[in-house]
Structures are given as C-alpha cells and as structure tokens.
Amino acid sequence: MSERAAPFHCPYCGDEDLRPNEQGHGAWECAACSRAFQLKFLGLLAPGTSIKSTGGEQT
C-alpha cells in the first residue's frame, strides 16, 4: 500500500503550508487561512463514462 496522497495547495486560498489534521484520515489544515478540510477518494471511473459537455441541448 502506498503512502496517503497529500494535497499540493489549499482549495480555499491556494497556499502550500498544509499539515495533517487530527480529525482523521484525509483531513488537512491550512496555516495561512486557518481552514480545515478533508479529502476523500471516491474511486476510479470506468473507461468511456466521462460526461462531455456539448455546450447545448442535443436535437
């Protein structure tokens, strides 16, 4: 099993000063904006299942 993935920047302010949070697996805190957030891996998408925007209704 690989190590847990770390985010590169805060999703709120973009700063890179992140530390693991005590709330549990996937929880991080940002020292710059004092926000805490949690990341969760949902799974892999099956090939060919991505939704592509066409920019309008199909007729």
Side-chain angles (χ1 to χ4, degrees), residues 2-52:
S2 63
E3 295 181 31
R4 68 178 164 184
F8 294 111
H9 61 273
C10 174
Y12 298 100
C13 72
D15 198 82
E16 297 177 357
D17 190 6
L18 302 177
R19 299 179 186 120
N21 187 278
E22 298 176 0
Q23 293 294 325
H25 183 72
W28 294 87
E29 57 188 52
C30 177
C33 68
S34 299
R35 288 186 169 110
F37 57 94
Q38 188 167 17
L39 303 176
K40 182 177 180 182
F41 178 71
L42 299 177
L44 297 173
L45 298 175
T49 59
S50 63
I51 300 173
K52 294 182 180 179

